[in-house]
Amino acid sequence: MSQDLQQYADIIEQLKPLVNEPEFNKVLLQIGGDIPKEKRFLLKMEVKRLAKPCMRSIDLRGQVDGKCKSYLHDGRTHYMDEIAVDKFEEQIRIFGGYTFGVYEAVQNTENNYRIIREKAEEARDTGSTSNAPRKKGSAILEQFKVPTVNLLDYRQRNTERMNFAVAVELFNESNHSIKGLSVDVSLEGLQVKLNKETLFKQNELLQVYFRGLEGEFAMDKKNGIAYRLVKTVRKKDVIYLALQRATERPAPSFDKFLESFIHGNKRRYKVNMNNTIEAITSKTCEQYFSPRSPTLPIYIDVIEDRLIPRFAMVNEVNRETVSYWQDEEDECRLGFLLSQNRLNTLHAKPAHHREIFVFSFTHLQNDKVFFYSASYEQLIEKDMLKQVFLGFGSKKVSWRVFKLTLTDMLPEQAHTPLSIPDSVGTKIKRQNTPPSPRVMSKLKNLKYLLHVTDVTSIYGQQAYNELKFNRDNLSHLRVFGHPRNQKTPNIELFRFKYEDQRLESRYRLRSQIELKLSHDDSVHVGVSEDISVHGLGLRVELNKEYDGELEGQVEVSFPRLQQITQNFNVMNLQYSVIYHNAEKNILHLKAATGEAGKSARAFFEELIKKNKHSLEEDSGEEELPGMGQALRCINARNATSLSFLMSKEGVRYTPQAGIIGKQDERVSSLVTYLTEKRQVNLEFLFRDRKLDTPFMQSGIKQVKLENMPLRQELLISFDAKQKDPRMAIIPRYSHRFENNEQRKTFITEALNRGQFIAIHVMLTTTGKPDLSMLQTEINYVSVYAIHRAKELENKLWSLAACSHLIDVTDEVLIRYEFDDDTISANRDTKAKVEAPAQSGIQALLQDQALAK
């Protein structure tokens, strides 16, 4: 039960036995008459949810203080102790069958170790001082505030900087002086700490006297050393001045002394390695971000005002997008998606909002793949066909929604030198060498980076399914079809390197199938869309409604594939149905376990092994060495959506660092709301942490178990006038709603309250980092501070998961049929001045926040 409904637990218990009775609504009104209407609606939703049939098996072994035995109920085996069995049978009588309410009640018996632990913690907190619970709550919330990292954006120093504290006195051109203490020094610069304000201005020329060295070294007491003030930074009550040597006023004798002094004392005083540590942190985040980012980066040339796609960077997750746009001959048809018209539309938009959504599906006819796609802008132009395209296309298993985002880039961003100066050694100097002239000549005309992200949602597909359209207009959809002889740009594909641990993905397999139900001999004809690794999963589209049940057993035959293989029997393969859409024409299947599914697993494992895309078959050698790394660096420096990395602490995953996107205004305003500079607050993504299956925690476990990225949609009501982030942000994952009507109601409330934001949340686990990109700088740190080097390495290996957040607000509003004026008004990230009326969502949030 969610935290905000906990206070109504007694009322929910009274309503449980009546949930399927005609007088349910009447009783709800009687016993909850003094409860606001919005909360009564939520209570009703909760009781209905608890009454839904449950397919999960209960296994309490190791979770309760009692001996568990097998318990057979309705053909399903559970493992429970005596207390749990009593609770199970009690709740079965109340609900009339095995439901989620039964399952959750059994999970919360008094002898459950989790319940025992929670009660002990509550008792301990109650016995503490009065403000202890508040401190504990604050500490819990603080763990979700993490620093931001700009990928591959760090300072490279031309000379080593040594930590050195000595008294200094600074004079400006008006002969006003102030005394301070040096923090660090290099041949080119100096950092000074002051205890009081200074009137010095940026870029002002200053004379610095090293008073603390005058008694020990032969310093010129009459003439100071000329420095220019570069930056002033305040940290609490201390002022830091960043100074740079004024080259127009040289001091050769001082330079010679300083060079000798630093070289002879850098081990004693230690080199300042802040920028190197910053670089290692930045590169570590990039190591986990790039190889598993769901976004496909495409690099754009501009020639005679035409935007021409040249290169694409493929990793183990975004390769699904490339695979989708391949035809039956494995020819890449990405150019269909990136038409000149769409690129021009993107380019014409304001720089901070260059994004469009493209809807697409494919049609298989005579073993040939035909592609159809339309941007929202194109659908508006042909409004009479909008309902037809969305309603018909969403009924196909090949239905996809892509977000396209265009951002500026510079070829120079391909160069990522070490943070260490060339002067440290010849090996360092070699590694700091820019990309070769051949590589730069390939990059020199690149102006833009286009990010393509698959943001397809099951809930979105369901919403588009509900659109009514005239089937007589289907023939007019050919205007959105892409002629097979259409010439498209040749996009050269490069692969992300350093993928030591692969996250297996789905593989496209478009072929005719025949599906037979186990309980009769009727045959459904259709096409397959894709298979997962080892053939464990299969998605198919049927030409008529599937009339079986979820969890039902089916036989799938591949007549065309049987014609090309003699070593395997691919007829009558055993699968179970794990999902179907509302029309029951799209099925997600899972290979039967044990011997029954052995034939399917063996065939598809061999098929995948021998027919992986050429990107997985190549030797990894690049035709132009360094090109892949150059493109990777450019992409990392131009991320357009927010991501964050998580490490595992005990049994839970907690965020460690955030990566802010360049064109991510709405999400950026959300995560930086009431936070300190260079920090993000990700608590709202973990707001469901007290539920039985919190998305982030259980989702990562699912990713690890299935070796598949996991996607979910988060709907958010944001009121920027609130002074508490928990009050300002109301999040709810889409799977927590019963239906699309409830989702639309939530969105309407959010728009009335302030701003609505929708985020496509994607979870991936992290692969093995490539230490060759980090080892030089880690070794450099270990020379002067081996403990810091070990800390950095430990942190590097502790990162276990990454979450990518893609703003899909406009697409969600489109799917629920909000008008263009509403969509446009909702883009305003600034808070409204007037106080909003108290809405149902706001009232709910206040109770929720107070409960926390």
Side-chain angles (χ1 to χ4, degrees):
M1 186 186 305
S2 62
Q3 186 74 23
D4 48 287
L5 292 178
Q6 192 68 46
Q7 60 180 310
Y8 303 112
D10 292 341
I11 293 177
I12 290 173
E13 287 298 323
Q14 295 178 58
L15 293 171
K16 280 181 182 180
L18 302 168
V19 64
N20 295 316
E21 300 298 329
E23 61 269 21
F24 175 76
N25 289 329
K26 183 178 179 181
V27 174
L28 172 60
L29 193 59
Q30 288 175 348
I31 64 177
D34 57 342
I35 299 174
K37 184 178 179 182
E38 293 86 352
K39 292 185 182 178
R40 281 206 308 273
F41 175 68
L42 291 175
L43 284 172
K44 181 178 178 180
M45 284 168 45
E46 175 65 8
V47 178
K48 293 283 187 183
R49 182 189 71 81
L50 293 172
K52 288 178 64 175
C54 182
M55 309 298 291
R56 301 175 185 172
S57 293
I58 299 172
D59 188 351
L60 297 177
R61 290 175 292 186
Q63 298 181 37
V64 294
D65 184 15
K67 187 176 181 180
C68 293
K69 297 179 181 179
S70 63
Y71 181 95
L72 186 65
H73 176 268
D74 201 16
R76 184 176 283 103
T77 300
H78 306 284
Y79 291 91
M80 300 182 288
D81 67 318
E82 291 182 3
I83 294 176
V85 169
D86 289 343
K87 179 63 70 173
F88 182 91
E89 293 174 347
E90 170 198 292
Q91 295 295 310
I92 286 284
R93 290 192 295 271
I94 290 174
F95 285 105
Y98 181 44
T99 69
F100 280 98
V102 179
Y103 175 85
E104 291 175 13
V106 172
Q107 297 288 342
N108 292 299
T109 54
E110 60 188 14
N111 68 329
N112 188 293
Y113 291 134
R114 174 176 55 82
I115 301 298
I116 294 171
R117 185 179 65 253
E118 288 176 357
K119 286 184 176 180
E121 290 176 353
E122 184 179 346
R124 185 170 63 248
D125 292 338
T126 304
S128 304
T129 56
S130 59
N131 65 344
R134 180 174 296 181
K135 288 183 178 179
K136 180 189 174 187
S138 298
I140 291 173
L141 296 177
E142 285 298 314
Q143 69 180 314
F144 300 111
K145 293 180 180 179
V146 297
T148 59
V149 175
N150 293 322
L151 296 182
L152 304 185
D153 184 12
Y154 48 84
R155 295 163 292 168
Q156 185 199 26
R157 289 180 178 156
N158 296 322
T159 56
E160 288 184 291
R161 180 174 293 186
M162 185 181 72
N163 290 325
F164 186 60
V166 65
V168 295
E169 187 173 4
L170 291 73
F171 287 81
N172 67 1
E173 293 172 339
S174 302
N175 209 34
H176 291 131
S177 72
I178 190 169
K179 292 181 179 180
L181 194 68
S182 68
V183 177
D184 51 51
V185 63
S186 72
L187 294 177
E188 296 182 349
L190 174 70
Q191 186 175 191
V192 176
K193 179 170 68 173
L194 308 176
N195 291 322
K196 58 181 179 179
E197 288 284 357
T198 172
L199 299 177
F200 299 158
K201 299 176 183 177
Q202 188 165 330
N203 212 36
E204 187 175 5
L205 191 67
L206 305 176
Q207 296 293 322
V208 178
Y209 292 82
F210 290 82
R211 302 301 190 194
L213 294 176
E214 290 174 351
E216 192 172 348
F217 299 96
M219 302 293 293
D220 187 345
K221 296 182 181 181
K222 294 183 179 180
N223 298 300
I225 307 301
Y227 283 86
R228 196 168 295 280
L229 179 59
V230 176
K231 185 170 61 174
T232 302
V233 178
R234 172 187 289 277
K235 293 182 181 178
K236 295 184 178 178
D237 296 328
V238 180
I239 310 296
Y240 291 88
L241 303 182
L243 308 174
Q244 188 175 37
R245 281 292 301 278
T247 54
E248 69 272 21
R249 298 198 181 180
S253 60
F254 176 76
D255 292 342
K256 186 176 180 179
F257 154 74
L258 195 57
E259 184 176 9
S260 174
F261 182 73
I262 291 175
H263 182 74
N265 291 278
K266 65 181 181 180
R267 285 187 181 271
R268 176 186 175 190
Y269 293 109
K270 294 185 181 179
V271 169
N272 183 302
M273 296 171 296
N274 289 342
N275 71 312
T276 302
I277 292 170
E278 180 185 2
I280 293 171
T281 302
S282 177
K283 289 182 178 181
T284 295
C285 292
E286 191 277 334
Q287 286 271 300
Y288 290 125
F289 166 81
S290 293
R292 299 225 168 128
S293 168
T295 295
L296 177 70
I298 298 175
Y299 303 78
I300 308 288
D301 259 359
V302 179
I303 298 178
E304 296 179 353
D305 294 328
R306 294 185 72 245
L307 279 67
I308 303 174
R310 292 295 190 198
F311 314 112
M313 198 74 186
V314 183
N315 66 25
E316 54 192 298
V317 176
N318 69 28
R319 69 185 179 197
E320 289 188 32
T321 298
V322 175
S323 179
Y324 178 85
W325 289 98
Q326 286 175 315
D327 61 19
E328 72 285 349
E329 296 179 351
D330 278 345
E331 183 176 348
C332 182
R333 297 290 194 168
L334 262 173
F336 288 162
L337 175 66
L338 311 177
S339 67
Q340 192 61 219
N341 175 269
R342 286 177 193 155
L343 294 177
N344 290 340
T345 299
L346 274 167
H347 188 251
K349 286 176 173 280
H352 65 282
H353 190 69
R354 287 178 178 159
E355 66 176 45
I356 60 172
F357 290 93
V358 177
F359 309 89
S360 69
F361 62 89
T362 63
H363 179 63
L364 190 67
Q365 184 175 359
N366 299 326
D367 285 340
K368 296 185 183 297
V369 181
F370 294 84
F371 293 89
Y372 293 79
S373 71
S375 67
Y376 181 62
E377 287 75 6
Q378 289 174 305
L379 291 175
I380 292 175
E381 289 176 4
K382 302 184 184 300
D383 195 53
M384 65 173 290
L385 293 180
K386 183 172 73 173
Q387 303 271 105
V388 184
F389 185 94
L390 297 174
F392 174 75
S394 61
K395 289 177 170 54
K396 301 184 73 67
V397 71
S398 58
W399 173 256
R400 296 291 187 278
V401 180
F402 294 99
K403 180 179 180 180
L404 276 58
T405 306
L406 189 71
T407 186
D408 298 337
M409 56 141 288
L410 295 170
E412 294 76 19
Q413 292 173 325
H415 181 36
T416 52
L418 299 174
S419 58
I420 309 170
D422 290 353
S423 58
V424 172
T426 54
K427 182 181 178 181
I428 304 296
K429 187 175 182 179
R430 187 168 60 250
Q431 288 182 265
N432 284 336
T433 304
S436 69
R438 285 184 63 201
V439 169
M440 294 308 296
S441 68
K442 281 264 197 178
L443 305 176
K444 66 180 181 181
N445 291 324
L446 299 181
K447 294 281 196 306
Y448 299 105
L449 188 57
L450 179 72
H451 283 141
V452 179
T453 312
D454 183 347
V455 293
T456 312
S457 159
I458 291 176
Y459 309 107
Q461 195 166 4
Q462 290 173 352
Y464 294 124
N465 276 183
E466 295 172 3
L467 296 175
K468 306 297 182 185
F469 62 91
N470 186 347
R471 300 190 70 86
D472 294 339
N473 289 328
L474 286 178
S475 60
H476 297 301
L477 291 184
R478 62 178 176 269
V479 70
F480 300 115
H482 299 282
R484 290 174 55 83
N485 60 357
Q486 179 182 339
K487 188 177 180 181
T488 58
N490 179 31
I491 302 174
E492 194 174 349
L493 302 178
F494 289 86
R495 189 180 77 185
F496 280 86
K497 296 178 72 177
Y498 318 116
E499 298 178 37
D500 294 331
Q501 291 183 346
R502 296 190 178 278
L503 181 71
E504 296 296 350
S505 189
R506 302 189 74 90
Y507 294 87
R508 176 180 49 80
L509 179 69
R510 296 185 178 118
S511 182
Q512 291 187 354
I513 61 104
E514 295 174 357
L515 183 143
K516 187 166 67 174
L517 277 65
S518 58
H519 63 270
D520 60 34
D521 294 327
S522 62
V523 176
H524 294 62
V525 178
V527 295
S528 62
E529 171 65 15
D530 55 37
I531 54 174
S532 65
V533 63
H534 309 315
L536 293 175
L538 174 69
R539 293 196 293 197
V540 299
E541 178 184 347
L542 306 178
N543 62 355
K544 65 177 182 179
E545 181 179 312
Y546 164 71
D547 52 3
E549 299 292 333
L550 277 177
E551 304 290 329
Q553 301 300 306
V554 296
E555 294 181 355
V556 181
S557 300
F558 293 82
R560 293 191 181 275
L561 291 181
Q562 189 64 73
Q563 296 173 11
I564 62 173
T565 179
Q566 296 178 345
N567 299 328
F568 296 92
N569 179 8
V570 292
M571 305 295 285
N572 305 318
L573 301 178
Q574 303 294 309
Y575 282 89
S576 59
V577 180
I578 60 173
Y579 166 80
H580 62 67
N581 65 343
E583 285 73 22
K584 294 191 174 183
N585 70 320
I586 295 176
L587 306 182
H588 293 198
L589 310 176
K590 186 175 183 179
T593 57
E595 193 66 28
K598 183 176 179 181
S599 181
R601 292 193 297 273
F603 170 70
F604 286 120
E605 191 166 357
E606 185 72 12
L607 181 75
I608 292 170
K609 182 179 178 181
K610 291 188 174 181
N611 295 278
K612 280 185 178 181
H613 187 269
S614 58
L615 286 172
E616 274 56 64
E617 295 177 341
D618 68 26
S619 63
E621 296 296 325
E622 294 180 333
E623 183 179 337
L624 181 55
M627 186 67 175
Q629 178 64 14
L631 294 176
R632 173 174 177 166
C633 294
I634 292 172
N635 181 59
R637 286 172 157 169
N638 293 283
T640 51
S641 59
L642 186 137
S643 303
F644 65 93
L645 293 162
M646 289 175 279
S647 64
K648 189 175 183 181
E649 298 180 1
V651 297
R652 306 191 74 79
Y653 294 87
T654 56
Q656 297 298 318
I659 301 160
I660 292 283
K662 286 177 65 175
Q663 291 181 211
D664 216 2
E665 278 193 50
R666 272 190 294 229
V667 177
S668 295
S669 67
L670 197 67
V671 297
T672 57
Y673 184 63
L674 297 178
T675 63
E676 296 178 7
K677 191 175 181 181
R678 300 196 66 181
Q679 186 185 66
V680 290
N681 186 356
L682 303 168
E683 183 273 335
F684 67 92
L685 290 157
F686 297 80
R687 190 75 62 83
D688 67 341
R689 57 190 177 273
K690 293 188 178 180
L691 301 183
D692 287 338
T693 55
F695 174 68
M696 284 292 172
Q697 309 299 337
S698 60
I700 296 172
K701 293 175 185 176
Q702 186 177 336
V703 173
K704 293 177 69 123
L705 183 67
E706 299 180 0
N707 267 340
M708 292 281 293
L710 184 67
R711 301 168 184 268
Q712 187 52 265
E713 202 167 70
L714 183 65
L715 308 185
I716 297 167
S717 173
F718 181 40
D719 179 7
K721 293 177 296 303
Q722 300 289 341
K723 300 306 180 185
D724 182 344
R726 292 171 296 167
M727 300 285 285
I729 302 170
I730 311 173
R732 193 163 186 186
Y733 286 100
S734 270
H735 67 288
R736 305 287 183 194
F737 293 93
E738 290 286 333
N739 51 48
N740 281 324
E741 192 59 39
Q742 289 182 14
R743 295 183 185 98
K744 188 169 183 178
T745 300
F746 180 92
I747 294 169
T748 303
E749 287 275 7
L751 292 170
N752 292 334
R753 178 175 178 263
Q755 186 180 29
F756 168 69
I757 300 174
I759 302 175
H760 186 89
V761 184
M762 185 168 183
L763 289 179
T764 65
T765 51
T766 53
K768 182 180 178 181
D770 178 56
L771 289 178
S772 65
M773 296 180 69
L774 298 162
Q775 200 63 60
T776 299
E777 283 156 316
I778 289 176
N779 291 344
Y780 181 72
V781 172
S782 66
V783 170
Y784 301 103
I786 192 167
H787 66 287
R788 291 302 305 273
K790 287 182 177 179
E791 284 177 12
L792 290 167
E793 285 201 67
N794 289 339
K795 187 172 183 178
L796 171 68
W797 289 101
S798 72
L799 296 172
C802 187
S803 180
H804 306 269
L805 311 180
I806 299 97
D807 183 352
V808 290
T809 307
D810 289 0
E811 189 270 324
V812 171
L813 292 173
I814 290 167
R815 88 167 67 136
Y816 294 117
E817 300 184 89
F818 287 89
D819 59 54
D820 291 343
D821 289 340
T822 301
I823 295 173
S824 179
N826 187 59
R827 291 195 188 111
D828 183 12
T829 58
K830 297 174 183 176
K832 295 176 183 177
V833 176
E834 68 274 16
Q838 183 86 349
S839 68
I841 282 182
Q842 187 174 14
L844 174 62
L845 173 64
Q846 288 176 346
D847 288 341
Q848 183 180 6
L850 291 171
K852 294 181 184 299

